[in-house]
């Protein structure tokens, strides 16, 4: 192997490691979002049904739901985007992947006896998780937008007008 090929292989392996680390971090955040969403949905259900012991025995299915969501996200290309530079149309990809995962989880939940989770927990949990996924990915835009509106409404500070230029030729 020539020195140039060796350098190229090292660069390629560094890029693969960096990409893998990026996907693992995003997947871990997504699993955390799923965990919080399902726990919130389960807590709302527990108020009416008293299912706290039931929650402890169903943690494995909730973890499976988070891993399945990450796999569907990976297959739909969500982890391949640079979200700070993606347009708002990227939300449809997140919505579609969440719908596919929800349908798969509900179908699996109806097949398995006894049911791992109440169907309402899956539906509400995935709806809450969808909101969490969008917030996590568009957090910088949300924060900048809220800060701009705060300054515009309360401090009456507006950005300076920009000079528009038309280049012909």
């Amino acid at each position: 192997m020539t020195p140039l090929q060796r350098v190229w292989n090292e660069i390629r392996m560094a890029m693969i490691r960096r990409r893998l680390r990026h996907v693992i971090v995003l997947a871990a955040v997504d699993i955390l979002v799923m965990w919080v969403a399902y726990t919130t949905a389960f807590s709302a259900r527990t108020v009416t049904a008293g299912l706290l012991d039931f929650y402890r025995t169903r943690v494995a299915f909730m973890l499976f739901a988070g891993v399945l969501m990450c796999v569907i996200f990976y297959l739909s290309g969500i982890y391949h985007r640079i979200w700070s530079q993606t347009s708002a149309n990227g939300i449809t990809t997140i919505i579609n992947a969440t719908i596919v995962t929800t349908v798969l989880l509900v179908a699996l939940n109806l097949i398995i006896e006894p049911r791992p989770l109440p169907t309402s927990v899956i539906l509400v949990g995935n709806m809450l998780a969808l909101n969490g996924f969008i917030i996590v990915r568009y957090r910088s835009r949300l924060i900048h937008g809220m800060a701009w509106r705060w300054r515009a409404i309360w401090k009456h500070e507006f950005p300076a007008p920009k000079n528009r230029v038309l280049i012909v030729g």
Side-chain angles (χ1 to χ4, degrees), residues 24-25 29 73 115 128 136 154:
I24 289 172
V25 168
V29 169
F73 275 14
R115 289 194 178 145
L128 292 172
V136 164
W154 297 106

Side-chain angles (χ1 to χ4, degrees), residues 40-53:
T40 303
F42 220 97
S43 297
R45 176 115 166 127
T46 302
V47 170
T48 59
L51 299 170
L52 189 58
D53 290 330

Side-chain angles (χ1 to χ4, degrees), residues 63-121:
L63 182 61
F64 169 75
V67 171
L68 180 66
M69 184 72 77
C70 290
V71 168
I72 299 295
F73 275 14
Y74 185 81
L75 294 175
S76 61
I78 291 175
Y79 294 138
H80 298 78
R81 292 176 183 243
I82 300 172
W83 286 97
S84 62
Q85 299 173 1
T86 302
S87 69
N89 291 334
I91 292 175
T92 58
T93 308
I94 298 172
I95 292 171
N96 292 338
T98 305
I99 289 171
V100 167
T101 306
T102 303
V103 168
L104 290 173
L105 287 172
V106 168
L108 189 62
N109 191 49
L110 294 175
I111 292 171
I112 298 173
E113 282 296 330
R115 289 194 178 145
L117 288 175
T119 306
S120 62
V121 171

Side-chain angles (χ1 to χ4, degrees), residues 147-164:
W148 183 86
R149 281 171 186 75
W150 177 268
R151 287 191 307 272
I153 292 171
W154 297 106
K155 296 182 179 182
H156 300 289
E157 296 176 7
F158 296 96
K162 297 179 181 175
N163 292 332
R164 296 180 152 230

